[in-house]
Amino acid sequence: MTLPAVDWAQPWLAPYRAPGEAVAQAVAQHTSVAAALQALKPEGTPDFVHQDALPAGQAYEAHIFQTRTVPTRDNLHDFFNGLVWLAFPQAKRRLNELQAAEIARMGVAAVRGPLRDALTLFDENGAVLDAPPALWRALVDRDWHTLFVTQRELWAEARLLLFGHALLEKLTAPRKPITAHVLLTHTATGPMAFDDATLARNFDAKRLELKPFVPLPVLGVPGWCAENTSASFYADPQVFRPLSR
């Protein structure tokens, strides 16, 4: 198979670029995505196996927890999922543990339930922001003009980590409406560090069940889109929506 082309120069792919390029090159040489990921996996990361290893009717997250293997398809979605596993194995394992515990407690139903829904939302579309308090306040208030125009220079002190693999997949074809769900982590004690262990420790079931996320159209981030140098870029209420009160 051949994966669609990925522009590794995009700033949001920086945490994943080195392994991503290596895996993509191996796949281009007729290696499966699972085998290419497996060749790079660090200690503590589950094994990557072909999707056929997932028994029919078995819940995906429960299977990962029980077997310590990640069934992987030969597509861009699972490619990015694998890259996040490589970069943040403790955080991914913590999300999986919470998913598996909830499946064991509640079973698998047509509706996931609030905790599994929140876990899936972050795993697929989540992000973490390290930014000055003024940017956090503007983001929570959906004050887009302050966030991206009047306080734009503060973004030089900020970092945005895209964690969700579906989000990364969507951004292979960047579009203005693509939105991340940012985990609210900035407290009186300061922002959350981006290291794997700290990220994993911040995944608390009771807190996540409340969906402590705030939407952020990621192409609004300075430097992430050439068009956003103009203030008019943000005058689009279909994308940069005001806070509903």
Side-chain angles (χ1 to χ4, degrees):
M1 68 157 296
T2 302
L3 290 171
V6 175
D7 181 2
W8 293 106
Q10 296 289 8
W12 53 82
L13 290 177
Y16 308 105
R17 179 174 181 174
E21 289 182 320
V23 172
Q25 183 176 16
V27 171
Q29 296 171 354
H30 309 293
T31 300
S32 70
V33 172
L37 290 165
Q38 181 70 10
L40 292 179
K41 81 178 196 74
E43 185 178 354
T45 306
D47 290 328
F48 296 95
V49 297
H50 194 271
Q51 181 72 13
D52 292 346
L54 179 64
Q58 172 76 1
Y60 172 78
E61 294 287 352
H63 181 80
I64 293 174
F65 181 76
Q66 293 163 9
T67 67
R68 294 295 188 257
T69 63
V70 181
T72 302
R73 299 166 295 182
D74 287 326
N75 61 25
L76 206 57
H77 187 85
D78 286 11
F79 166 76
F80 279 114
N81 183 50
L83 293 184
V84 181
W85 268 108
L86 294 181
F88 300 100
Q90 295 181 61
K92 288 285 282 186
R93 186 167 62 248
R94 175 60 177 159
L95 291 176
N96 174 247
E97 289 170 350
L98 292 172
Q99 286 270 17
E102 194 67 0
I103 291 171
R105 187 176 74 89
M106 299 292 293
V108 178
V111 178
R112 289 192 182 99
L115 178 56
R116 288 194 62 215
D117 189 47
L119 292 168
T120 301
L121 179 62
F122 186 77
D123 193 36
E124 296 276 350
N125 215 58
V128 180
L129 177 66
D130 175 5
L135 294 185
W136 270 105
R137 288 193 296 269
L139 176 60
V140 171
D141 290 342
R142 316 296 198 271
D143 183 352
W144 307 113
H145 188 79
T146 297
L147 180 65
F148 291 126
V149 181
T150 61
Q151 297 290 345
R152 191 177 184 86
E153 72 284 352
L154 288 180
W155 279 94
E157 305 171 32
R159 295 182 301 160
L160 178 66
L161 168 69
L162 303 191
F163 186 92
H165 55 281
L167 177 63
L168 293 167
E169 179 190 15
K170 286 184 283 189
L171 281 165
T172 58
R175 295 180 299 106
K176 188 176 181 180
I178 294 175
T179 299
H181 287 78
V182 176
L183 178 63
L184 292 176
T185 57
H186 197 102
T187 66
T189 58
M192 183 172 69
F194 277 17
D195 69 277
D196 188 25
T198 303
L199 188 56
R201 286 195 298 270
N202 276 270
F203 293 148
D204 175 76
K206 290 184 178 179
R207 182 167 177 268
L208 287 173
E209 192 170 24
L210 301 175
K211 291 186 178 177
F213 310 123
V214 61
L216 173 63
V218 295
L219 293 186
V221 175
W224 283 26
C225 174
E227 290 80 7
N228 75 25
T229 55
S230 170
S232 62
F233 181 87
Y234 304 101
D236 183 348
Q238 297 303 309
V239 175
F240 298 96
R241 300 178 181 180
L243 179 65
S244 298
R245 300 194 183 274

Short mmCIF file of all heavy atoms in Angstrom, two decimals, residues 39-74:
data_model
loop_
_atom_site.label_atom_id
_atom_site.label_comp_id
_atom_site.label_asym_id
_atom_site.label_seq_id
_atom_site.Cartn_x
_atom_site.Cartn_y
_atom_site.Cartn_z
N ALA A 39 8.67 -1.75 14.38
CA ALA A 39 10.13 -1.65 14.28
C ALA A 39 10.68 -0.46 15.05
O ALA A 39 11.87 -0.44 15.40
CB ALA A 39 10.53 -1.54 12.81
N LEU A 40 9.84 0.52 15.35
CA LEU A 40 10.31 1.74 16.03
C LEU A 40 9.84 1.85 17.47
O LEU A 40 10.24 2.78 18.16
CB LEU A 40 9.81 2.97 15.27
CG LEU A 40 10.40 3.22 13.88
CD1 LEU A 40 9.76 4.47 13.27
CD2 LEU A 40 11.91 3.40 13.94
N LYS A 41 9.02 0.95 17.93
CA LYS A 41 8.37 1.15 19.23
C LYS A 41 9.37 1.12 20.38
O LYS A 41 10.25 0.26 20.43
CB LYS A 41 7.26 0.12 19.43
CG LYS A 41 7.71 -1.23 19.91
CD LYS A 41 6.52 -2.15 20.12
CE LYS A 41 6.91 -3.37 20.95
NZ LYS A 41 7.10 -3.05 22.38
N PRO A 42 9.24 2.07 21.31
CA PRO A 42 10.11 2.07 22.49
C PRO A 42 9.60 1.09 23.54
O PRO A 42 8.47 0.59 23.46
CB PRO A 42 9.99 3.52 22.99
CG PRO A 42 8.61 3.93 22.58
CD PRO A 42 8.34 3.24 21.27
N GLU A 43 10.42 0.84 24.52
CA GLU A 43 10.01 -0.04 25.62
C GLU A 43 8.81 0.56 26.33
O GLU A 43 8.73 1.77 26.56
CB GLU A 43 11.17 -0.20 26.60
CG GLU A 43 10.89 -1.17 27.73
CD GLU A 43 12.09 -1.34 28.66
OE1 GLU A 43 13.16 -0.79 28.34
OE2 GLU A 43 11.94 -2.02 29.68
N GLY A 44 7.86 -0.30 26.67
CA GLY A 44 6.66 0.16 27.35
C GLY A 44 5.50 0.44 26.43
O GLY A 44 4.40 0.74 26.88
N THR A 45 5.74 0.36 25.13
CA THR A 45 4.67 0.56 24.15
C THR A 45 4.10 -0.80 23.75
O THR A 45 4.86 -1.75 23.55
CB THR A 45 5.23 1.27 22.89
OG1 THR A 45 5.89 2.46 23.29
CG2 THR A 45 4.10 1.62 21.93
N PRO A 46 2.78 -0.94 23.64
CA PRO A 46 2.22 -2.22 23.19
C PRO A 46 2.73 -2.59 21.80
O PRO A 46 3.19 -1.73 21.04
CB PRO A 46 0.71 -1.93 23.16
CG PRO A 46 0.50 -0.78 24.05
CD PRO A 46 1.75 0.05 23.96
N ASP A 47 2.64 -3.86 21.47
CA ASP A 47 3.00 -4.30 20.13
C ASP A 47 1.94 -3.88 19.13
O ASP A 47 0.74 -3.86 19.44
CB ASP A 47 3.15 -5.82 20.10
CG ASP A 47 4.37 -6.32 20.85
OD1 ASP A 47 5.38 -5.58 20.87
OD2 ASP A 47 4.31 -7.42 21.42
N PHE A 48 2.38 -3.55 17.94
CA PHE A 48 1.46 -3.23 16.84
C PHE A 48 1.26 -4.48 16.00
O PHE A 48 2.23 -5.11 15.56
CB PHE A 48 2.01 -2.09 15.99
CG PHE A 48 2.14 -0.79 16.75
CD1 PHE A 48 3.34 -0.42 17.34
CD2 PHE A 48 1.04 0.04 16.90
CE1 PHE A 48 3.46 0.76 18.06
CE2 PHE A 48 1.15 1.24 17.62
CZ PHE A 48 2.36 1.59 18.20
N VAL A 49 0.00 -4.84 15.81
CA VAL A 49 -0.34 -6.04 15.06
C VAL A 49 -1.36 -5.68 13.98
O VAL A 49 -2.00 -4.62 14.03
CB VAL A 49 -0.92 -7.13 15.98
CG1 VAL A 49 0.11 -7.58 17.01
CG2 VAL A 49 -2.19 -6.64 16.69
N HIS A 50 -1.50 -6.55 13.00
CA HIS A 50 -2.46 -6.29 11.92
C HIS A 50 -3.88 -6.34 12.46
O HIS A 50 -4.17 -7.04 13.44
CB HIS A 50 -2.28 -7.30 10.79
CG HIS A 50 -2.99 -6.89 9.54
ND1 HIS A 50 -4.31 -7.23 9.28
CD2 HIS A 50 -2.57 -6.15 8.48
CE1 HIS A 50 -4.66 -6.73 8.11
NE2 HIS A 50 -3.63 -6.06 7.61
N GLN A 51 -4.76 -5.62 11.83
CA GLN A 51 -6.16 -5.54 12.25
C GLN A 51 -6.81 -6.91 12.35
O GLN A 51 -7.74 -7.12 13.16
CB GLN A 51 -6.94 -4.64 11.27
CG GLN A 51 -8.41 -4.45 11.61
CD GLN A 51 -8.62 -3.55 12.83
OE1 GLN A 51 -7.69 -2.89 13.28
NE2 GLN A 51 -9.83 -3.53 13.34
N ASP A 52 -6.35 -7.87 11.58
CA ASP A 52 -6.93 -9.22 11.61
C ASP A 52 -6.79 -9.87 12.98
O ASP A 52 -7.50 -10.83 13.28
CB ASP A 52 -6.27 -10.11 10.56
CG ASP A 52 -6.61 -9.69 9.14
OD1 ASP A 52 -7.55 -8.88 8.98
OD2 ASP A 52 -5.93 -10.14 8.19
N ALA A 53 -5.88 -9.37 13.81
CA ALA A 53 -5.69 -9.94 15.14
C ALA A 53 -6.82 -9.60 16.10
O ALA A 53 -6.93 -10.20 17.18
CB ALA A 53 -4.36 -9.47 15.72
N LEU A 54 -7.67 -8.64 15.72
CA LEU A 54 -8.81 -8.26 16.56
C LEU A 54 -9.97 -9.21 16.28
O LEU A 54 -10.52 -9.20 15.17
CB LEU A 54 -9.23 -6.82 16.27
CG LEU A 54 -10.43 -6.28 17.05
CD1 LEU A 54 -10.13 -6.21 18.55
CD2 LEU A 54 -10.84 -4.90 16.53
N PRO A 55 -10.36 -10.06 17.23
CA PRO A 55 -11.45 -11.01 16.99
C PRO A 55 -12.77 -10.29 16.70
O PRO A 55 -13.03 -9.20 17.23
CB PRO A 55 -11.54 -11.79 18.31
CG PRO A 55 -10.21 -11.60 18.96
CD PRO A 55 -9.77 -10.22 18.57
N ALA A 56 -13.57 -10.90 15.87
CA ALA A 56 -14.88 -10.32 15.54
C ALA A 56 -15.70 -10.16 16.81
O ALA A 56 -15.77 -11.08 17.64
CB ALA A 56 -15.61 -11.21 14.54
N GLY A 57 -16.29 -8.99 16.98
CA GLY A 57 -17.13 -8.73 18.13
C GLY A 57 -16.39 -8.28 19.38
O GLY A 57 -17.02 -7.92 20.38
N GLN A 58 -15.07 -8.30 19.34
CA GLN A 58 -14.28 -7.87 20.50
C GLN A 58 -14.12 -6.35 20.51
O GLN A 58 -13.80 -5.75 19.48
CB GLN A 58 -12.90 -8.52 20.47
CG GLN A 58 -11.92 -8.02 21.50
CD GLN A 58 -12.20 -8.55 22.90
OE1 GLN A 58 -13.12 -9.33 23.09
NE2 GLN A 58 -11.41 -8.13 23.87
N ALA A 59 -14.35 -5.73 21.65
CA ALA A 59 -14.18 -4.28 21.77
C ALA A 59 -12.71 -3.92 21.60
O ALA A 59 -11.84 -4.52 22.25
CB ALA A 59 -14.68 -3.80 23.13
N TYR A 60 -12.43 -2.96 20.74
CA TYR A 60 -11.07 -2.58 20.40
C TYR A 60 -10.25 -2.20 21.63
O TYR A 60 -9.14 -2.71 21.85
CB TYR A 60 -11.14 -1.43 19.39
CG TYR A 60 -9.84 -0.75 19.05
CD1 TYR A 60 -8.93 -1.33 18.17
CD2 TYR A 60 -9.53 0.51 19.57
CE1 TYR A 60 -7.75 -0.69 17.83
CE2 TYR A 60 -8.35 1.16 19.24
CZ TYR A 60 -7.46 0.55 18.38
OH TYR A 60 -6.29 1.19 18.04
N GLU A 61 -10.76 -1.30 22.47
CA GLU A 61 -10.01 -0.83 23.63
C GLU A 61 -9.81 -1.96 24.64
O GLU A 61 -8.74 -2.06 25.27
CB GLU A 61 -10.73 0.35 24.29
CG GLU A 61 -10.79 1.60 23.42
CD GLU A 61 -9.44 2.31 23.30
OE1 GLU A 61 -8.49 1.90 24.00
OE2 GLU A 61 -9.35 3.26 22.52
N ALA A 62 -10.81 -2.82 24.83
CA ALA A 62 -10.66 -3.95 25.74
C ALA A 62 -9.59 -4.91 25.23
O ALA A 62 -8.81 -5.47 26.02
CB ALA A 62 -11.99 -4.67 25.91
N HIS A 63 -9.53 -5.11 23.93
CA HIS A 63 -8.54 -6.01 23.34
C HIS A 63 -7.12 -5.47 23.57
O HIS A 63 -6.21 -6.23 23.92
CB HIS A 63 -8.81 -6.17 21.85
CG HIS A 63 -7.86 -7.09 21.15
ND1 HIS A 63 -7.99 -8.46 21.21
CD2 HIS A 63 -6.76 -6.84 20.40
CE1 HIS A 63 -7.01 -9.02 20.52
NE2 HIS A 63 -6.26 -8.06 20.02
N ILE A 64 -6.94 -4.18 23.38
CA ILE A 64 -5.62 -3.58 23.62
C ILE A 64 -5.20 -3.80 25.08
O ILE A 64 -4.07 -4.19 25.37
CB ILE A 64 -5.62 -2.07 23.28
CG1 ILE A 64 -5.83 -1.86 21.78
CG2 ILE A 64 -4.32 -1.41 23.74
CD1 ILE A 64 -5.99 -0.41 21.38
N PHE A 65 -6.13 -3.57 25.99
CA PHE A 65 -5.82 -3.70 27.41
C PHE A 65 -5.48 -5.14 27.78
O PHE A 65 -4.53 -5.40 28.53
CB PHE A 65 -7.01 -3.21 28.24
CG PHE A 65 -6.80 -3.29 29.72
CD1 PHE A 65 -6.00 -2.36 30.37
CD2 PHE A 65 -7.39 -4.30 30.47
CE1 PHE A 65 -5.79 -2.43 31.74
CE2 PHE A 65 -7.18 -4.38 31.84
CZ PHE A 65 -6.38 -3.44 32.47
N GLN A 66 -6.23 -6.08 27.24
CA GLN A 66 -6.05 -7.49 27.60
C GLN A 66 -4.82 -8.11 26.97
O GLN A 66 -4.15 -8.96 27.58
CB GLN A 66 -7.30 -8.29 27.20
CG GLN A 66 -8.54 -7.93 28.00
CD GLN A 66 -9.82 -8.41 27.36
OE1 GLN A 66 -9.80 -9.16 26.36
NE2 GLN A 66 -10.95 -8.00 27.90
N THR A 67 -4.49 -7.70 25.74
CA THR A 67 -3.40 -8.36 25.01
C THR A 67 -2.14 -7.53 24.91
O THR A 67 -1.10 -8.04 24.50
CB THR A 67 -3.87 -8.70 23.58
OG1 THR A 67 -4.09 -7.47 22.84
CG2 THR A 67 -5.15 -9.54 23.59
N ARG A 68 -2.21 -6.25 25.29
CA ARG A 68 -1.10 -5.32 25.11
C ARG A 68 -0.63 -5.27 23.66
O ARG A 68 0.55 -5.22 23.36
CB ARG A 68 0.07 -5.69 26.04
CG ARG A 68 -0.25 -5.53 27.52
CD ARG A 68 -0.49 -4.05 27.86
NE ARG A 68 -0.62 -3.83 29.31
CZ ARG A 68 -1.76 -3.63 29.95
NH1 ARG A 68 -2.90 -3.62 29.27
NH2 ARG A 68 -1.80 -3.41 31.25
N THR A 69 -1.60 -5.34 22.77
CA THR A 69 -1.34 -5.19 21.34
C THR A 69 -2.33 -4.19 20.75
O THR A 69 -3.46 -4.06 21.24
CB THR A 69 -1.47 -6.52 20.58
OG1 THR A 69 -2.83 -7.01 20.66
CG2 THR A 69 -0.51 -7.57 21.13
N VAL A 70 -1.92 -3.49 19.72
CA VAL A 70 -2.77 -2.48 19.07
C VAL A 70 -3.08 -2.94 17.64
O VAL A 70 -2.21 -2.87 16.76
CB VAL A 70 -2.07 -1.11 19.02
CG1 VAL A 70 -2.98 -0.07 18.36
CG2 VAL A 70 -1.67 -0.65 20.42
N PRO A 71 -4.29 -3.44 17.38
CA PRO A 71 -4.66 -3.79 16.00
C PRO A 71 -4.60 -2.55 15.12
O PRO A 71 -5.13 -1.49 15.48
CB PRO A 71 -6.10 -4.31 16.15
CG PRO A 71 -6.20 -4.75 17.58
CD PRO A 71 -5.35 -3.77 18.34
N THR A 72 -3.94 -2.69 13.98
CA THR A 72 -3.63 -1.53 13.15
C THR A 72 -3.94 -1.81 11.69
O THR A 72 -3.46 -2.80 11.12
CB THR A 72 -2.13 -1.16 13.30
OG1 THR A 72 -1.86 -0.90 14.68
CG2 THR A 72 -1.78 0.06 12.47
N ARG A 73 -4.73 -0.94 11.10
CA ARG A 73 -5.06 -1.04 9.67
C ARG A 73 -4.04 -0.27 8.85
O ARG A 73 -3.34 0.60 9.36
CB ARG A 73 -6.47 -0.48 9.42
CG ARG A 73 -7.58 -1.22 10.16
CD ARG A 73 -8.86 -0.43 10.16
NE ARG A 73 -8.72 0.83 10.90
CZ ARG A 73 -9.70 1.70 11.10
NH1 ARG A 73 -10.90 1.48 10.59
NH2 ARG A 73 -9.48 2.80 11.79
N ASP A 74 -4.00 -0.58 7.59
CA ASP A 74 -3.09 0.12 6.68
C ASP A 74 -3.77 1.36 6.12
O ASP A 74 -4.12 1.44 4.95
CB ASP A 74 -2.67 -0.82 5.54
CG ASP A 74 -1.70 -1.89 6.00
OD1 ASP A 74 -0.88 -1.61 6.89
OD2 ASP A 74 -1.77 -3.02 5.49
#
